[in-house]
mmCIF file of all heavy atoms in Angstrom:
data_model
loop_
_atom_site.group_PDB
_atom_site.id
_atom_site.type_symbol
_atom_site.label_atom_id
_atom_site.label_comp_id
_atom_site.label_asym_id
_atom_site.label_seq_id
_atom_site.Cartn_x
_atom_site.Cartn_y
_atom_site.Cartn_z
ATOM 1 N N ARG A 19 51.096 -72.346 91.292
ATOM 2 C CA ARG A 19 51.166 -71.146 90.427
ATOM 3 C C ARG A 19 51.822 -69.983 91.178
ATOM 4 O O ARG A 19 52.681 -69.287 90.656
ATOM 5 C CB ARG A 19 49.730 -70.804 90.000
ATOM 6 C CG ARG A 19 49.470 -69.583 89.184
ATOM 7 C CD ARG A 19 49.797 -69.724 87.744
ATOM 8 N NE ARG A 19 51.249 -69.749 87.568
ATOM 9 C CZ ARG A 19 51.868 -69.890 86.414
ATOM 10 N NH1 ARG A 19 51.167 -70.028 85.321
ATOM 11 N NH2 ARG A 19 53.170 -69.879 86.331
ATOM 12 N N ILE A 26 54.846 -72.994 83.569
ATOM 13 C CA ILE A 26 53.792 -72.798 82.550
ATOM 14 C C ILE A 26 52.634 -73.739 82.826
ATOM 15 O O ILE A 26 52.833 -74.956 82.980
ATOM 16 C CB ILE A 26 54.366 -73.041 81.140
ATOM 17 C CG1 ILE A 26 55.347 -71.903 80.827
ATOM 18 C CG2 ILE A 26 53.267 -73.107 80.083
ATOM 19 C CD1 ILE A 26 56.201 -72.157 79.639
ATOM 20 N N ALA A 27 51.439 -73.147 82.901
ATOM 21 C CA ALA A 27 50.239 -73.981 83.077
ATOM 22 C C ALA A 27 50.012 -74.749 81.782
ATOM 23 O O ALA A 27 50.175 -74.208 80.683
ATOM 24 C CB ALA A 27 49.039 -73.094 83.393
ATOM 25 N N ALA A 28 49.618 -76.005 81.912
ATOM 26 C CA ALA A 28 49.389 -76.828 80.717
ATOM 27 C C ALA A 28 48.111 -77.620 80.905
ATOM 28 O O ALA A 28 47.965 -78.363 81.875
ATOM 29 C CB ALA A 28 50.570 -77.759 80.495
ATOM 30 N N ALA A 29 47.174 -77.437 79.957
ATOM 31 C CA ALA A 29 45.907 -78.193 80.019
ATOM 32 C C ALA A 29 45.995 -79.288 78.947
ATOM 33 O O ALA A 29 46.640 -80.305 79.143
ATOM 34 C CB ALA A 29 44.730 -77.260 79.839
ATOM 35 N N GLY A 30 45.370 -79.085 77.786
ATOM 36 C CA GLY A 30 45.458 -80.102 76.723
ATOM 37 C C GLY A 30 46.792 -80.107 76.012
ATOM 38 O O GLY A 30 47.130 -81.035 75.289
ATOM 39 N N CYS A 31 47.573 -79.021 76.205
ATOM 40 C CA CYS A 31 48.916 -78.872 75.595
ATOM 41 C C CYS A 31 48.889 -78.728 74.076
ATOM 42 O O CYS A 31 49.940 -78.842 73.434
ATOM 43 C CB CYS A 31 49.820 -80.048 75.975
ATOM 44 S SG CYS A 31 50.812 -79.666 77.420
ATOM 45 N N THR A 32 47.731 -78.496 73.475
ATOM 46 C CA THR A 32 47.700 -78.393 72.010
ATOM 47 C C THR A 32 48.316 -77.084 71.514
ATOM 48 O O THR A 32 48.747 -77.013 70.366
ATOM 49 C CB THR A 32 46.261 -78.534 71.457
ATOM 50 O OG1 THR A 32 45.450 -77.493 71.998
ATOM 51 C CG2 THR A 32 45.655 -79.878 71.786
ATOM 52 N N ASP A 33 48.370 -76.069 72.351
ATOM 53 C CA ASP A 33 49.144 -74.858 72.037
ATOM 54 C C ASP A 33 50.522 -74.920 72.674
ATOM 55 O O ASP A 33 51.525 -74.578 72.041
ATOM 56 C CB ASP A 33 48.418 -73.594 72.553
ATOM 57 C CG ASP A 33 47.332 -73.117 71.614
ATOM 58 O OD1 ASP A 33 47.480 -73.293 70.385
ATOM 59 O OD2 ASP A 33 46.323 -72.571 72.095
ATOM 60 N N VAL A 34 50.586 -75.358 73.941
ATOM 61 C CA VAL A 34 51.858 -75.331 74.677
ATOM 62 C C VAL A 34 52.924 -76.168 73.949
ATOM 63 O O VAL A 34 54.058 -75.722 73.784
ATOM 64 C CB VAL A 34 51.655 -75.848 76.120
ATOM 65 C CG1 VAL A 34 52.997 -76.193 76.770
ATOM 66 C CG2 VAL A 34 50.929 -74.796 76.961
ATOM 67 N N LEU A 35 52.566 -77.353 73.493
ATOM 68 C CA LEU A 35 53.581 -78.214 72.871
ATOM 69 C C LEU A 35 54.082 -77.639 71.551
ATOM 70 O O LEU A 35 55.255 -77.771 71.218
ATOM 71 C CB LEU A 35 53.032 -79.628 72.671
ATOM 72 C CG LEU A 35 53.167 -80.523 73.916
ATOM 73 C CD1 LEU A 35 52.594 -81.903 73.654
ATOM 74 C CD2 LEU A 35 54.619 -80.642 74.361
ATOM 75 N N VAL A 36 53.174 -76.984 70.814
ATOM 76 C CA VAL A 36 53.605 -76.347 69.561
ATOM 77 C C VAL A 36 54.641 -75.275 69.879
ATOM 78 O O VAL A 36 55.709 -75.198 69.245
ATOM 79 C CB VAL A 36 52.391 -75.735 68.812
ATOM 80 C CG1 VAL A 36 52.848 -74.947 67.591
ATOM 81 C CG2 VAL A 36 51.402 -76.832 68.403
ATOM 82 N N LEU A 51 47.439 -79.423 84.394
ATOM 83 C CA LEU A 51 46.123 -79.193 85.027
ATOM 84 C C LEU A 51 45.123 -80.315 84.740
ATOM 85 O O LEU A 51 43.971 -80.233 85.159
ATOM 86 C CB LEU A 51 45.543 -77.858 84.522
ATOM 87 C CG LEU A 51 46.379 -76.609 84.838
ATOM 88 C CD1 LEU A 51 45.761 -75.374 84.195
ATOM 89 C CD2 LEU A 51 46.502 -76.404 86.336
ATOM 90 N N LEU A 57 38.359 -78.299 87.423
ATOM 91 C CA LEU A 57 38.453 -77.584 86.144
ATOM 92 C C LEU A 57 37.648 -78.254 85.029
ATOM 93 O O LEU A 57 37.273 -77.620 84.053
ATOM 94 C CB LEU A 57 39.923 -77.445 85.717
ATOM 95 C CG LEU A 57 40.771 -76.516 86.588
ATOM 96 C CD1 LEU A 57 42.200 -76.483 86.093
ATOM 97 C CD2 LEU A 57 40.202 -75.095 86.600
ATOM 98 N N ALA A 71 37.484 -74.347 83.216
ATOM 99 C CA ALA A 71 38.537 -74.058 82.231
ATOM 100 C C ALA A 71 39.053 -75.327 81.558
ATOM 101 O O ALA A 71 39.504 -75.300 80.424
ATOM 102 C CB ALA A 71 39.690 -73.325 82.910
ATOM 103 N N GLY A 72 38.965 -76.469 82.249
ATOM 104 C CA GLY A 72 39.496 -77.714 81.691
ATOM 105 C C GLY A 72 38.498 -78.486 80.855
ATOM 106 O O GLY A 72 38.787 -79.616 80.429
ATOM 107 N N TYR A 75 36.681 -79.371 74.124
ATOM 108 C CA TYR A 75 35.711 -79.104 73.050
ATOM 109 C C TYR A 75 34.768 -80.289 72.879
ATOM 110 O O TYR A 75 33.566 -80.137 72.702
ATOM 111 C CB TYR A 75 36.437 -78.821 71.727
ATOM 112 C CG TYR A 75 37.281 -77.576 71.800
ATOM 113 C CD1 TYR A 75 38.660 -77.645 71.831
ATOM 114 C CD2 TYR A 75 36.675 -76.327 71.881
ATOM 115 C CE1 TYR A 75 39.427 -76.497 71.936
ATOM 116 C CE2 TYR A 75 37.436 -75.175 71.987
ATOM 117 C CZ TYR A 75 38.810 -75.269 72.009
ATOM 118 O OH TYR A 75 39.554 -74.130 72.116
ATOM 119 N N THR A 95 34.150 -76.583 65.081
ATOM 120 C CA THR A 95 35.063 -76.193 63.992
ATOM 121 C C THR A 95 36.532 -76.268 64.405
ATOM 122 O O THR A 95 37.415 -76.032 63.576
ATOM 123 C CB THR A 95 34.791 -74.747 63.503
ATOM 124 O OG1 THR A 95 35.286 -73.818 64.479
ATOM 125 C CG2 THR A 95 33.325 -74.496 63.237
ATOM 126 N N VAL A 96 36.813 -76.536 65.679
ATOM 127 C CA VAL A 96 38.214 -76.502 66.140
ATOM 128 C C VAL A 96 38.954 -77.749 65.655
ATOM 129 O O VAL A 96 38.509 -78.874 65.884
ATOM 130 C CB VAL A 96 38.283 -76.407 67.676
ATOM 131 C CG1 VAL A 96 39.718 -76.574 68.160
ATOM 132 C CG2 VAL A 96 37.712 -75.075 68.161
ATOM 133 N N GLY A 97 40.088 -77.526 65.015
ATOM 134 C CA GLY A 97 41.051 -78.574 64.673
ATOM 135 C C GLY A 97 40.442 -79.826 64.093
ATOM 136 O O GLY A 97 39.763 -79.807 63.066
ATOM 137 N N SER A 98 40.694 -80.930 64.774
ATOM 138 C CA SER A 98 40.290 -82.267 64.356
ATOM 139 C C SER A 98 39.773 -82.984 65.598
ATOM 140 O O SER A 98 39.886 -82.452 66.706
ATOM 141 C CB SER A 98 41.527 -83.007 63.848
ATOM 142 O OG SER A 98 42.437 -83.134 64.933
ATOM 143 N N ILE A 101 42.343 -82.923 68.375
ATOM 144 C CA ILE A 101 42.503 -81.626 69.048
ATOM 145 C C ILE A 101 41.279 -81.351 69.926
ATOM 146 O O ILE A 101 41.406 -80.848 71.042
ATOM 147 C CB ILE A 101 42.700 -80.495 67.999
ATOM 148 C CG1 ILE A 101 43.964 -80.729 67.173
ATOM 149 C CG2 ILE A 101 42.714 -79.124 68.654
ATOM 150 C CD1 ILE A 101 45.254 -80.644 67.939
ATOM 151 N N ARG A 104 41.504 -83.033 73.293
ATOM 152 C CA ARG A 104 42.513 -82.532 74.241
ATOM 153 C C ARG A 104 42.314 -81.061 74.574
ATOM 154 O O ARG A 104 42.481 -80.657 75.717
ATOM 155 C CB ARG A 104 43.919 -82.679 73.627
ATOM 156 C CG ARG A 104 44.423 -84.055 73.420
ATOM 157 C CD ARG A 104 44.794 -84.749 74.692
ATOM 158 N NE ARG A 104 45.703 -83.981 75.551
ATOM 159 C CZ ARG A 104 46.141 -84.408 76.728
ATOM 160 N NH1 ARG A 104 45.777 -85.596 77.168
ATOM 161 N NH2 ARG A 104 46.944 -83.667 77.460
ATOM 162 N N GLY A 105 41.999 -80.248 73.564
ATOM 163 C CA GLY A 105 41.972 -78.794 73.717
ATOM 164 C C GLY A 105 40.843 -78.349 74.626
ATOM 165 O O GLY A 105 39.758 -78.929 74.625
ATOM 166 N N THR A 106 41.109 -77.307 75.401
ATOM 167 C CA THR A 106 40.140 -76.833 76.402
ATOM 168 C C THR A 106 39.784 -75.367 76.172
ATOM 169 O O THR A 106 40.529 -74.619 75.536
ATOM 170 C CB THR A 106 40.742 -76.956 77.817
ATOM 171 O OG1 THR A 106 41.897 -76.096 77.888
ATOM 172 C CG2 THR A 106 41.138 -78.390 78.138
ATOM 173 N N ILE A 107 38.680 -74.983 76.771
ATOM 174 C CA ILE A 107 38.260 -73.580 76.686
ATOM 175 C C ILE A 107 39.231 -72.694 77.472
ATOM 176 O O ILE A 107 39.553 -71.583 77.048
ATOM 177 C CB ILE A 107 36.786 -73.439 77.146
ATOM 178 C CG1 ILE A 107 36.284 -72.027 76.887
ATOM 179 C CG2 ILE A 107 36.595 -73.802 78.596
ATOM 180 C CD1 ILE A 107 34.781 -71.889 76.992
ATOM 181 N N GLY A 108 39.749 -73.212 78.599
ATOM 182 C CA GLY A 108 40.730 -72.435 79.386
ATOM 183 C C GLY A 108 42.008 -72.219 78.605
ATOM 184 O O GLY A 108 42.634 -71.154 78.697
ATOM 185 N N GLY A 109 42.402 -73.221 77.809
ATOM 186 C CA GLY A 109 43.597 -73.079 76.989
ATOM 187 C C GLY A 109 43.389 -72.076 75.870
ATOM 188 O O GLY A 109 44.291 -71.311 75.529
ATOM 189 N N ASN A 110 42.191 -72.056 75.303
ATOM 190 C CA ASN A 110 41.872 -71.081 74.250
ATOM 191 C C ASN A 110 41.950 -69.660 74.825
ATOM 192 O O ASN A 110 42.513 -68.757 74.205
ATOM 193 C CB ASN A 110 40.480 -71.364 73.690
ATOM 194 C CG ASN A 110 40.311 -71.012 72.220
ATOM 195 O OD1 ASN A 110 39.357 -70.363 71.857
ATOM 196 N ND2 ASN A 110 41.234 -71.425 71.356
ATOM 197 N N LEU A 111 41.405 -69.489 76.033
ATOM 198 C CA LEU A 111 41.480 -68.177 76.691
ATOM 199 C C LEU A 111 42.923 -67.862 77.073
ATOM 200 O O LEU A 111 43.394 -66.743 76.880
ATOM 201 C CB LEU A 111 40.582 -68.154 77.929
ATOM 202 C CG LEU A 111 39.080 -68.129 77.636
ATOM 203 C CD1 LEU A 111 38.266 -68.467 78.888
ATOM 204 C CD2 LEU A 111 38.653 -66.761 77.104
ATOM 205 N N GLY A 112 43.628 -68.866 77.603
ATOM 206 C CA GLY A 112 45.010 -68.652 78.049
ATOM 207 C C GLY A 112 45.901 -68.201 76.910
ATOM 208 O O GLY A 112 46.749 -67.334 77.076
ATOM 209 N N SER A 113 45.693 -68.767 75.727
ATOM 210 C CA SER A 113 46.509 -68.374 74.570
ATOM 211 C C SER A 113 46.126 -66.988 74.060
ATOM 212 O O SER A 113 46.949 -66.287 73.481
ATOM 213 C CB SER A 113 46.362 -69.393 73.434
ATOM 214 O OG SER A 113 46.969 -70.611 73.794
ATOM 215 N N ALA A 117 42.526 -65.260 66.878
ATOM 216 C CA ALA A 117 41.784 -66.235 66.056
ATOM 217 C C ALA A 117 41.151 -67.346 66.881
ATOM 218 O O ALA A 117 40.587 -68.274 66.313
ATOM 219 C CB ALA A 117 42.718 -66.835 65.018
ATOM 220 N N GLY A 118 41.234 -67.295 68.191
ATOM 221 C CA GLY A 118 40.654 -68.348 69.034
ATOM 222 C C GLY A 118 39.152 -68.472 68.763
ATOM 223 O O GLY A 118 38.414 -67.486 68.820
ATOM 224 N N ASP A 119 38.698 -69.673 68.475
ATOM 225 C CA ASP A 119 37.308 -69.836 68.040
ATOM 226 C C ASP A 119 36.287 -69.684 69.159
ATOM 227 O O ASP A 119 35.111 -69.421 68.891
ATOM 228 C CB ASP A 119 37.140 -71.200 67.348
ATOM 229 C CG ASP A 119 37.737 -71.193 65.954
ATOM 230 O OD1 ASP A 119 37.654 -70.145 65.282
ATOM 231 O OD2 ASP A 119 38.293 -72.216 65.542
ATOM 232 N N CYS A 120 36.702 -69.874 70.415
ATOM 233 C CA CYS A 120 35.724 -69.704 71.511
ATOM 234 C C CYS A 120 35.344 -68.236 71.712
ATOM 235 O O CYS A 120 34.273 -67.939 72.250
ATOM 236 C CB CYS A 120 36.323 -70.177 72.844
ATOM 237 S SG CYS A 120 36.449 -71.939 72.962
ATOM 238 N N LEU A 156 45.205 -61.855 82.490
ATOM 239 C CA LEU A 156 45.553 -62.931 83.424
ATOM 240 C C LEU A 156 46.868 -62.591 84.130
ATOM 241 O O LEU A 156 47.882 -62.372 83.475
ATOM 242 C CB LEU A 156 45.707 -64.232 82.633
ATOM 243 C CG LEU A 156 45.979 -65.504 83.412
ATOM 244 C CD1 LEU A 156 44.725 -65.953 84.152
ATOM 245 C CD2 LEU A 156 46.433 -66.621 82.465
ATOM 246 N N GLU A 160 47.815 -66.091 88.551
ATOM 247 C CA GLU A 160 46.412 -66.503 88.367
ATOM 248 C C GLU A 160 46.279 -67.667 87.382
ATOM 249 O O GLU A 160 47.111 -67.870 86.510
ATOM 250 C CB GLU A 160 45.590 -65.330 87.835
ATOM 251 C CG GLU A 160 45.332 -64.243 88.860
ATOM 252 C CD GLU A 160 44.482 -63.117 88.282
ATOM 253 O OE1 GLU A 160 44.774 -62.671 87.151
ATOM 254 O OE2 GLU A 160 43.552 -62.681 88.964
ATOM 255 N N LEU A 161 45.149 -68.354 87.537
ATOM 256 C CA LEU A 161 44.704 -69.336 86.545
ATOM 257 C C LEU A 161 43.284 -68.992 86.134
ATOM 258 O O LEU A 161 42.537 -68.375 86.923
ATOM 259 C CB LEU A 161 44.725 -70.749 87.138
ATOM 260 C CG LEU A 161 46.098 -71.363 87.419
ATOM 261 C CD1 LEU A 161 45.957 -72.672 88.176
ATOM 262 C CD2 LEU A 161 46.886 -71.586 86.120
ATOM 263 N N VAL A 162 42.909 -69.395 84.937
ATOM 264 C CA VAL A 162 41.499 -69.298 84.549
ATOM 265 C C VAL A 162 40.771 -70.442 85.246
ATOM 266 O O VAL A 162 41.170 -71.604 85.124
ATOM 267 C CB VAL A 162 41.324 -69.433 83.014
ATOM 268 C CG1 VAL A 162 39.846 -69.381 82.645
ATOM 269 C CG2 VAL A 162 42.108 -68.357 82.282
ATOM 270 N N ALA A 163 39.728 -70.083 85.990
ATOM 271 C CA ALA A 163 38.946 -71.120 86.681
ATOM 272 C C ALA A 163 37.797 -71.597 85.794
ATOM 273 O O ALA A 163 37.520 -72.795 85.718
ATOM 274 C CB ALA A 163 38.398 -70.576 87.994
ATOM 275 N N LYS A 178 32.927 -69.641 60.658
ATOM 276 C CA LYS A 178 34.273 -69.114 60.377
ATOM 277 C C LYS A 178 34.644 -69.386 58.927
ATOM 278 O O LYS A 178 34.176 -70.360 58.328
ATOM 279 C CB LYS A 178 35.284 -69.682 61.355
ATOM 280 C CG LYS A 178 35.921 -71.015 61.063
ATOM 281 C CD LYS A 178 36.841 -71.401 62.241
ATOM 282 C CE LYS A 178 37.639 -72.634 61.970
ATOM 283 N NZ LYS A 178 38.315 -73.177 63.157
ATOM 284 N N MET A 185 40.657 -78.502 60.496
ATOM 285 C CA MET A 185 42.072 -78.194 60.748
ATOM 286 C C MET A 185 42.469 -76.843 60.156
ATOM 287 O O MET A 185 43.461 -76.749 59.431
ATOM 288 C CB MET A 185 42.960 -79.293 60.158
ATOM 289 C CG MET A 185 42.834 -80.608 60.876
ATOM 290 S SD MET A 185 43.604 -80.547 62.508
ATOM 291 C CE MET A 185 45.276 -80.793 62.095
ATOM 292 N N VAL A 186 41.676 -75.846 60.476
ATOM 293 C CA VAL A 186 41.989 -74.546 59.883
ATOM 294 C C VAL A 186 41.815 -73.438 60.927
ATOM 295 O O VAL A 186 40.891 -73.467 61.722
ATOM 296 C CB VAL A 186 41.106 -74.312 58.633
ATOM 297 C CG1 VAL A 186 39.701 -73.888 58.961
ATOM 298 C CG2 VAL A 186 41.739 -73.330 57.685
ATOM 299 N N ILE A 187 42.795 -72.550 60.952
ATOM 300 C CA ILE A 187 42.677 -71.365 61.809
ATOM 301 C C ILE A 187 41.875 -70.341 61.022
ATOM 302 O O ILE A 187 42.075 -70.171 59.821
ATOM 303 C CB ILE A 187 44.084 -70.807 62.164
ATOM 304 C CG1 ILE A 187 44.932 -71.876 62.888
ATOM 305 C CG2 ILE A 187 43.979 -69.545 63.015
ATOM 306 C CD1 ILE A 187 44.439 -72.309 64.243
ATOM 307 N N ALA A 188 40.977 -69.639 61.699
ATOM 308 C CA ALA A 188 40.034 -68.753 61.017
ATOM 309 C C ALA A 188 40.740 -67.628 60.261
ATOM 310 O O ALA A 188 41.640 -66.973 60.795
ATOM 311 C CB ALA A 188 39.067 -68.152 62.034
HETATM 312 C C1 FAD B 301 46.537 -78.950 64.833
HETATM 313 C C2 FAD B 301 45.913 -77.839 65.652
HETATM 314 C C3 FAD B 301 44.716 -77.292 65.232
HETATM 315 C C4 FAD B 301 44.110 -76.272 65.977
HETATM 316 N N1 FAD B 301 42.935 -75.738 65.534
HETATM 317 C C5 FAD B 301 42.369 -74.730 66.228
HETATM 318 C C6 FAD B 301 41.143 -74.167 65.775
HETATM 319 O O1 FAD B 301 40.556 -74.569 64.783
HETATM 320 N N2 FAD B 301 40.616 -73.147 66.501
HETATM 321 C C7 FAD B 301 41.223 -72.672 67.645
HETATM 322 O O2 FAD B 301 40.687 -71.752 68.266
HETATM 323 N N3 FAD B 301 42.385 -73.194 68.087
HETATM 324 C C8 FAD B 301 42.969 -74.214 67.413
HETATM 325 N N4 FAD B 301 44.139 -74.736 67.853
HETATM 326 C C9 FAD B 301 44.767 -74.190 69.059
HETATM 327 C C10 FAD B 301 44.431 -74.939 70.361
HETATM 328 O O3 FAD B 301 43.977 -76.261 70.104
HETATM 329 C C11 FAD B 301 43.341 -74.213 71.181
HETATM 330 O O4 FAD B 301 43.741 -72.891 71.459
HETATM 331 C C12 FAD B 301 43.020 -74.949 72.478
HETATM 332 O O5 FAD B 301 41.859 -74.414 73.029
HETATM 333 C C13 FAD B 301 44.131 -74.863 73.509
HETATM 334 O O6 FAD B 301 43.699 -75.577 74.652
HETATM 335 P P1 FAD B 301 44.685 -76.507 75.467
HETATM 336 O O7 FAD B 301 43.933 -77.052 76.617
HETATM 337 O O8 FAD B 301 45.366 -77.481 74.608
HETATM 338 O O9 FAD B 301 45.732 -75.404 75.984
HETATM 339 P P2 FAD B 301 47.273 -75.543 76.347
HETATM 340 O O10 FAD B 301 48.085 -75.748 75.129
HETATM 341 O O11 FAD B 301 47.468 -76.498 77.463
HETATM 342 O O12 FAD B 301 47.515 -74.064 76.899
HETATM 343 C C14 FAD B 301 47.393 -72.949 76.059
HETATM 344 C C15 FAD B 301 47.734 -71.675 76.844
HETATM 345 O O13 FAD B 301 46.780 -71.467 77.867
HETATM 346 C C16 FAD B 301 47.372 -71.501 79.163
HETATM 347 N N5 FAD B 301 46.418 -72.196 80.024
HETATM 348 C C17 FAD B 301 45.842 -73.398 79.849
HETATM 349 N N6 FAD B 301 44.933 -73.631 80.822
HETATM 350 C C18 FAD B 301 44.955 -72.536 81.623
HETATM 351 C C19 FAD B 301 44.230 -72.156 82.806
HETATM 352 N N7 FAD B 301 43.297 -72.918 83.366
HETATM 353 N N8 FAD B 301 44.512 -70.968 83.355
HETATM 354 C C20 FAD B 301 45.462 -70.150 82.808
HETATM 355 N N9 FAD B 301 46.141 -70.445 81.699
HETATM 356 C C21 FAD B 301 45.893 -71.622 81.112
HETATM 357 C C22 FAD B 301 48.721 -72.205 78.972
HETATM 358 O O14 FAD B 301 49.677 -71.794 79.929
HETATM 359 C C23 FAD B 301 49.088 -71.745 77.567
HETATM 360 O O15 FAD B 301 49.612 -70.441 77.604
HETATM 361 C C24 FAD B 301 44.758 -75.771 67.149
HETATM 362 C C25 FAD B 301 45.959 -76.352 67.577
HETATM 363 C C26 FAD B 301 46.540 -77.371 66.836
HETATM 364 C C27 FAD B 301 47.834 -77.990 67.306
#
Side-chain angles (χ1 to χ4, degrees):
R19 176 78 288 179
I26 291 167
C31 266
T32 60
D33 278 328
V34 164
L35 275 179
V36 174
L51 299 176
L57 292 179
Y75 296 108
T95 74
V96 172
S98 63
I101 298 294
R104 293 288 308 179
T106 63
I107 188 166
N110 212 228
L111 288 165
S113 291
D119 285 325
C120 287
L156 184 73
E160 288 181 314
L161 290 172
V162 178
K178 85 183 187 192
M185 291 288 279
V186 78
I187 301 295

